[in-house]
Amino acid sequence: MRGEPLPTVSVIGLGYIGLPTAAIVARAGMRVRGVDVSQSVVDTINRGEIHIEEVDLDGLVHGVVQRGLLSAALAVAPADVFVIAVPTPFARDGRHTPDISYVLDAARAIAPVLKPGDTIILESTSPVGTTADLRDLLAAERPDLAMPGLTSGTPDIAIAYCPERVLPGRILEELTNNDRSIGGITPRCARKALAFYKRFVRGACVTTDAASAEMTKLVENAYRDVNIAFANELSIISDAMGLDVWEVIRLANRHPRVNILNPGPGVGGHCIAVDPWFIVHGAPEQSPLIRTARGVNDAKIHHAIARAAQLVEADPHARVACLGLAFKANIDDFRESPARLVAATLARRYGQRIHIVEPYAAELPREFDGTGACLTDIDTALEQCDTLIVLVDHDVFRSVPLAERAHKRVYDTRGIWPDQPEASLERVELRKAG
Ligand code: SAJ
């Protein structure tokens, strides 16, 4: 394999997964054409710059663009390997139905340039069966090419599913070092895709069939969602009982076979709060636990709003600092963030009393316009605010010493200050919301 000429690669979709993947493939020496529907994304990358925030990605992209290994374009061109990394959002039907139209659009764009020997790999998180749908679409568009699973002879094209499993903030490291599941429409397809990933992945690459690989990706995030739901439900129970959930979890986790995750203000991001629905949609009758976990995690956001509001109303003159808007610690991603939802709700209700601290934001998101809430820094907030609501466990918040917060009223949704004096914490049973 190593002796074979390097394949040319086309990565369709240059977002949080596609761009880092394109850059890492290019770093491994392969010539990569990235394709995106946005002219400004294409122009930015061709200047050697990036349009997303990710640790070390700027230097990597700059380097591979300068060396002529990575370029971006609006149109798909011939290549040996096509990697599809486009979004798979919900349809706008309010029923959490997966929308795979971007995947099928990408397949339609690739179809005219396909030639015998090419490999197509879908990386987008997808409902089970999507890789087969993609194959069927290509078969319809290119009846001249033998597609895998539809011919008794050797197919012209290999098609596989290989999900990413990287953590935002550690994408480059995890793209290289994580193990990968590679699911082929046929075993031969899986082997072709494996040969590609072996060129730049150091983790183990395990081959399987396409549907199992699709399900594996959904299961990983549903597993996490269910476990976070357990922690969030415990926090709501503990609030009702006047207990410190963090103390309960710390003690329970001393059991050798117990490892409870962390409660928070809800589950955010674009994966864990989304992917479980793809399972529920595929098997609605068989997935009560996964569906309920989604409900528990969504309900935790409203619980956090109710508790925070109770604290804000406890002293009508107090200035309140909401610490964090990001969907999790130490990143600048505010999309699908429970922290942002809690802070915006408080801003709408309590206006100028609300001060937002988010070191990763240059300005407040749109929904804060006209509320009177302001963006401030942690030093000013600690000087001026009497009430602190911790919504994100950014390191800069975690490191605030006790002396600077001991006399404040605190609602800590993330448990970052275990030494906060009992008297300063709101640990009362929630009034029944009207
Ligand atoms: N969260 C908690 N309590 C916890 C852990 C997380 O409330 O104990 C919350 C976070 O604050 C955040 C959300 O869950 O709001 C998700 O954060 P995360 O760091 O657990 O995961 P993501 O969404 O950044 O990335 C996940 C990862 N999946 C798993 O860990 C199983 C990542 O490996 C996937 O590649 C990614 O989804 C994806 O793209 O699917």
Side-chain angles (χ1 to χ4, degrees):
M1 182 193 71
R2 293 278 170 198
E4 286 176 15
L6 289 171
T8 56
V9 179
S10 184
V11 177
I12 320 292
L14 295 172
Y16 275 87
I17 300 302
L19 180 56
T21 302
I24 281 187
V25 171
R27 185 177 64 186
M30 287 168 265
R31 209 161 279 281
V32 181
R33 177 187 180 99
V35 177
D36 201 279
V37 292
S38 158
Q39 182 72 56
S40 91
V41 167
V42 166
D43 293 344
T44 304
I45 293 167
N46 284 334
R47 283 196 306 271
E49 295 166 11
I50 58 175
H51 61 292
I52 53 173
E53 278 294 322
E54 180 56 37
V55 177
D56 296 337
L57 184 62
D58 48 356
L60 176 60
V61 168
H62 185 74
V64 288
V65 169
Q66 268 208 329
R67 287 163 60 205
L69 288 168
L70 173 64
S71 63
L74 290 172
V76 178
D80 303 318
V81 177
F82 295 88
V83 176
I84 301 175
V86 296
T88 44
F90 293 133
R92 292 170 186 270
D93 60 0
R95 296 166 56 202
H96 302 112
T97 306
D99 172 5
I100 61 163
S101 59
Y102 295 102
V103 173
L104 299 180
D105 287 350
R108 239 174 248 116
I110 292 168
V113 302
L114 274 183
K115 60 185 184 311
D118 286 356
T119 302
I120 300 173
I121 300 165
L122 176 61
E123 286 211 4
S124 312
T125 302
S126 300
V128 174
T130 305
T131 313
D133 291 348
L134 185 154
R135 184 267 321 268
D136 292 346
L137 185 147
L138 290 174
E141 298 272 324
R142 290 294 303 269
D144 55 314
L145 294 172
M147 292 293 162
L150 299 181
T151 173
S152 50
T154 307
D156 291 318
I157 304 294
I159 302 175
Y161 181 72
C162 180
E164 55 75 27
R165 36 165 68 137
V166 296
L167 205 61
R170 295 165 46 95
I171 291 182
L172 294 185
E173 194 205 316
E174 294 207 355
L175 266 181
T176 313
N177 294 320
N178 285 0
D179 294 353
R180 309 279 306 225
S181 318
I182 301 175
I185 290 275
T186 64
R188 181 181 168 278
C189 294
R191 284 193 295 277
K192 287 269 285 185
L194 175 71
F196 169 64
Y197 283 101
K198 279 283 187 196
R199 294 186 182 277
F200 61 96
V201 171
R202 274 201 287 268
C205 294
V206 183
T207 54
T208 181
D209 62 277
S212 297
E214 288 164 342
M215 186 61 169
T216 303
K217 168 68 190 184
L218 303 179
V219 162
E220 290 165 3
N221 283 346
Y223 167 84
R224 188 103 167 137
D225 196 48
V226 168
N227 281 279
I228 299 170
F230 183 77
N232 277 334
E233 184 161 297
L234 275 188
S235 75
I236 295 172
I237 294 168
S238 300
D239 285 347
M241 293 182 166
L243 293 168
D244 177 356
V245 68
W246 307 101
E247 177 71 355
V248 172
I249 291 175
R250 252 192 307 277
L251 293 171
N253 281 351
R254 296 185 82 89
H255 186 290
R257 283 172 296 283
V258 173
N259 186 14
I260 301 170
L261 294 181
N262 297 312
V267 171
H270 338 288
C271 308
I272 293 188
V274 174
D275 301 355
W277 287 117
F278 288 17
I279 299 179
V280 173
H281 188 262
E285 300 299 323
Q286 292 76 22
S287 49
L289 177 66
I290 294 172
R291 181 199 300 268
T292 300
R294 275 286 67 245
V296 169
N297 284 331
D298 283 346
K300 182 64 198 286
I301 301 176
H302 302 290
H303 178 83
I305 290 171
R307 275 200 73 185
Q310 195 171 345
L311 191 61
V312 176
E313 284 169 18
D315 179 355
H317 304 293
R319 290 182 186 166
V320 179
C322 290
L323 305 189
L325 293 177
F327 87 84
K328 65 178 190 173
N330 305 323
I331 61 168
D332 71 338
D333 192 339
F334 310 129
R335 295 170 300 165
E336 313 300 330
S337 168
R340 174 174 168 179
L341 193 62
V342 174
T345 306
L346 297 178
R348 273 195 301 277
R349 280 192 205 162
Y350 306 108
Q352 294 175 1
R353 292 179 59 202
I354 305 297
H355 301 240
I356 309 291
V357 185
E358 180 43 86
Y360 291 89
E363 57 189 22
L364 286 176
R366 278 239 185 92
E367 66 269 27
F368 289 84
D369 289 356
T371 61
C374 63
L375 183 66
T376 187
D377 58 77
I378 184 69
D379 297 324
T380 312
L382 287 169
E383 272 164 35
Q384 297 186 350
C385 297
D386 326 275
T387 297
L388 307 178
I389 297 172
V390 180
L391 297 172
V392 184
D393 41 347
H394 288 322
D395 288 346
V396 60
F397 302 152
R398 210 178 265 284
S399 63
V400 173
L402 179 59
E404 290 190 81
R405 54 184 159 81
H407 54 288
K408 315 268 190 203
R409 283 167 174 270
V410 170
Y411 173 33
D412 179 1
T413 69
R414 298 278 184 177
I416 61 171
W417 294 331
D419 55 354
Q420 190 68 25
E422 184 74 15
S424 66
L425 295 165
E426 272 296 283
R427 190 117 58 224
V428 288
E429 196 179 337
L430 271 183
R431 288 192 305 260
K432 281 237 163 9

